PDB file of all heavy atoms in Angstrom:
ATOM      1  N   PHE Q 127     -38.399 -24.328-189.269  1.00 96.00           N
ATOM      2  CA  PHE Q 127     -38.364 -24.706-190.627  1.00 96.00           C
ATOM      3  C   PHE Q 127     -39.053 -23.687-191.530  1.00 96.00           C
ATOM      4  O   PHE Q 127     -40.225 -23.508-191.319  1.00 96.00           O
ATOM      5  CB  PHE Q 127     -39.060 -26.053-190.775  1.00 96.00           C
ATOM      6  CG  PHE Q 127     -38.201 -27.183-190.390  1.00 96.00           C
ATOM      7  CD1 PHE Q 127     -38.151 -27.673-189.023  1.00 96.00           C
ATOM      8  CD2 PHE Q 127     -37.400 -27.928-191.329  1.00 96.00           C
ATOM      9  CE1 PHE Q 127     -37.342 -28.786-188.673  1.00 96.00           C
ATOM     10  CE2 PHE Q 127     -36.734 -29.026-191.005  1.00 96.00           C
ATOM     11  CZ  PHE Q 127     -36.638 -29.428-189.627  1.00 96.00           C
ATOM     12  N   ASP Q 128     -38.309 -23.171-192.603  1.00 96.00           N
ATOM     13  CA  ASP Q 128     -38.973 -22.517-193.640  1.00 96.00           C
ATOM     14  C   ASP Q 128     -38.844 -23.414-194.798  1.00 96.00           C
ATOM     15  O   ASP Q 128     -37.772 -23.315-195.436  1.00 96.00           O
ATOM     16  CB  ASP Q 128     -38.331 -21.119-193.835  1.00 96.00           C
ATOM     17  CG  ASP Q 128     -38.909 -20.291-194.892  1.00 96.00           C
ATOM     18  OD1 ASP Q 128     -40.047 -20.720-195.313  1.00 96.00           O
ATOM     19  OD2 ASP Q 128     -38.358 -19.334-195.418  1.00 96.00           O
ATOM     20  N   LEU Q 129     -39.839 -24.197-195.148  1.00 97.00           N
ATOM     21  CA  LEU Q 129     -39.687 -25.116-196.130  1.00 97.00           C
ATOM     22  C   LEU Q 129     -40.156 -24.552-197.575  1.00 97.00           C
ATOM     23  O   LEU Q 129     -40.913 -23.610-197.602  1.00 97.00           O
ATOM     24  CB  LEU Q 129     -40.691 -26.308-195.878  1.00 97.00           C
ATOM     25  CG  LEU Q 129     -40.271 -27.157-194.710  1.00 97.00           C
ATOM     26  CD1 LEU Q 129     -41.313 -28.157-194.375  1.00 97.00           C
ATOM     27  CD2 LEU Q 129     -38.931 -27.927-194.943  1.00 97.00           C
ATOM     28  N   ALA Q 130     -39.615 -25.119-198.543  1.00 97.00           N
ATOM     29  CA  ALA Q 130     -39.971 -25.024-200.021  1.00 97.00           C
ATOM     30  C   ALA Q 130     -40.382 -26.299-200.485  1.00 97.00           C
ATOM     31  O   ALA Q 130     -39.877 -27.341-199.999  1.00 97.00           O
ATOM     32  CB  ALA Q 130     -39.003 -24.265-200.841  1.00 97.00           C
ATOM     33  N   PRO Q 131     -41.250 -26.516-201.496  1.00 97.00           N
ATOM     34  CA  PRO Q 131     -41.596 -27.844-202.050  1.00 97.00           C
ATOM     35  C   PRO Q 131     -40.348 -28.614-202.414  1.00 97.00           C
ATOM     36  O   PRO Q 131     -40.355 -29.868-202.263  1.00 97.00           O
ATOM     37  CB  PRO Q 131     -42.426 -27.372-203.211  1.00 97.00           C
ATOM     38  CG  PRO Q 131     -43.170 -26.089-202.768  1.00 97.00           C
ATOM     39  CD  PRO Q 131     -42.048 -25.386-202.151  1.00 97.00           C
ATOM     40  N   GLU Q 132     -39.252 -27.955-202.965  1.00 97.00           N
ATOM     41  CA  GLU Q 132     -38.122 -28.757-203.330  1.00 97.00           C
ATOM     42  C   GLU Q 132     -37.397 -29.381-202.111  1.00 97.00           C
ATOM     43  O   GLU Q 132     -36.718 -30.458-202.251  1.00 97.00           O
ATOM     44  CB  GLU Q 132     -37.235 -27.926-204.208  1.00 97.00           C
ATOM     45  CG  GLU Q 132     -36.697 -26.658-203.615  1.00 97.00           C
ATOM     46  CD  GLU Q 132     -37.510 -25.430-203.902  1.00 97.00           C
ATOM     47  OE1 GLU Q 132     -38.728 -25.571-204.213  1.00 97.00           O
ATOM     48  OE2 GLU Q 132     -36.939 -24.362-204.020  1.00 97.00           O
ATOM     49  N   HIS Q 133     -37.444 -28.732-200.993  1.00 98.00           N
ATOM     50  CA  HIS Q 133     -36.812 -29.292-199.804  1.00 98.00           C
ATOM     51  C   HIS Q 133     -37.637 -30.638-199.445  1.00 98.00           C
ATOM     52  O   HIS Q 133     -36.956 -31.649-199.007  1.00 98.00           O
ATOM     53  CB  HIS Q 133     -36.997 -28.311-198.719  1.00 98.00           C
ATOM     54  CG  HIS Q 133     -36.295 -27.014-198.745  1.00 98.00           C
ATOM     55  ND1 HIS Q 133     -36.660 -25.939-198.207  1.00 98.00           N
ATOM     56  CD2 HIS Q 133     -35.125 -26.727-199.463  1.00 98.00           C
ATOM     57  CE1 HIS Q 133     -35.769 -24.891-198.455  1.00 98.00           C
ATOM     58  NE2 HIS Q 133     -34.841 -25.401-199.292  1.00 98.00           N
ATOM     59  N   VAL Q 134     -38.918 -30.536-199.474  1.00 98.00           N
ATOM     60  CA  VAL Q 134     -39.735 -31.697-199.065  1.00 98.00           C
ATOM     61  C   VAL Q 134     -39.400 -32.824-200.074  1.00 98.00           C
ATOM     62  O   VAL Q 134     -39.290 -33.982-199.649  1.00 98.00           O
ATOM     63  CB  VAL Q 134     -41.267 -31.410-199.108  1.00 98.00           C
ATOM     64  CG1 VAL Q 134     -42.062 -32.608-198.665  1.00 98.00           C
ATOM     65  CG2 VAL Q 134     -41.490 -30.242-198.132  1.00 98.00           C
ATOM     66  N   PHE Q 135     -39.492 -32.568-201.461  1.00 98.00           N
ATOM     67  CA  PHE Q 135     -39.118 -33.608-202.355  1.00 98.00           C
ATOM     68  C   PHE Q 135     -37.761 -34.237-202.062  1.00 98.00           C
ATOM     69  O   PHE Q 135     -37.601 -35.517-202.099  1.00 98.00           O
ATOM     70  CB  PHE Q 135     -39.180 -33.055-203.834  1.00 98.00           C
ATOM     71  CG  PHE Q 135     -38.419 -33.962-204.850  1.00 98.00           C
ATOM     72  CD1 PHE Q 135     -39.064 -35.163-205.084  1.00 98.00           C
ATOM     73  CD2 PHE Q 135     -37.283 -33.507-205.313  1.00 98.00           C
ATOM     74  CE1 PHE Q 135     -38.342 -35.981-206.054  1.00 98.00           C
ATOM     75  CE2 PHE Q 135     -36.618 -34.353-206.237  1.00 98.00           C
ATOM     76  CZ  PHE Q 135     -37.198 -35.544-206.552  1.00 98.00           C
ATOM     77  N   GLN Q 136     -36.801 -33.431-201.866  1.00 98.00           N
ATOM     78  CA  GLN Q 136     -35.482 -33.966-201.584  1.00 98.00           C
ATOM     79  C   GLN Q 136     -35.292 -34.833-200.321  1.00 98.00           C
ATOM     80  O   GLN Q 136     -34.453 -35.674-200.197  1.00 98.00           O
ATOM     81  CB  GLN Q 136     -34.399 -32.875-201.648  1.00 98.00           C
ATOM     82  CG  GLN Q 136     -34.175 -32.105-202.978  1.00 98.00           C
ATOM     83  CD  GLN Q 136     -33.276 -30.946-202.899  1.00 98.00           C
ATOM     84  OE1 GLN Q 136     -32.085 -31.116-203.125  1.00 98.00           O
ATOM     85  NE2 GLN Q 136     -33.839 -29.838-202.601  1.00 98.00           N
ATOM     86  N   ALA Q 137     -36.185 -34.518-199.359  1.00 98.00           N
ATOM     87  CA  ALA Q 137     -36.167 -35.296-198.076  1.00 98.00           C
ATOM     88  C   ALA Q 137     -36.770 -36.608-198.292  1.00 98.00           C
ATOM     89  O   ALA Q 137     -36.336 -37.563-197.694  1.00 98.00           O
ATOM     90  CB  ALA Q 137     -36.908 -34.447-197.042  1.00 98.00           C
ATOM     91  N   LEU Q 138     -37.797 -36.677-199.114  1.00 98.00           N
ATOM     92  CA  LEU Q 138     -38.531 -37.912-199.247  1.00 98.00           C
ATOM     93  C   LEU Q 138     -38.173 -38.869-200.351  1.00 98.00           C
ATOM     94  O   LEU Q 138     -38.390 -40.082-200.235  1.00 98.00           O
ATOM     95  CB  LEU Q 138     -40.016 -37.557-199.517  1.00 98.00           C
ATOM     96  CG  LEU Q 138     -40.813 -36.692-198.464  1.00 98.00           C
ATOM     97  CD1 LEU Q 138     -42.214 -36.485-199.009  1.00 98.00           C
ATOM     98  CD2 LEU Q 138     -40.701 -37.303-197.098  1.00 98.00           C
ATOM     99  N   ALA Q 139     -37.682 -38.338-201.424  1.00 97.00           N
ATOM    100  CA  ALA Q 139     -37.495 -39.205-202.637  1.00 97.00           C
ATOM    101  C   ALA Q 139     -36.413 -40.197-202.479  1.00 97.00           C
ATOM    102  O   ALA Q 139     -35.452 -40.096-201.756  1.00 97.00           O
ATOM    103  CB  ALA Q 139     -37.049 -38.265-203.843  1.00 97.00           C
TER     104      ALA Q 139
END
Side-chain angles (χ1 to χ4, degrees):
F127 281 85
D128 181 13
L129 292 172
E132 56 265 33
H133 298 151
V134 178
F135 162 68
Q136 291 175 93
L138 301 183

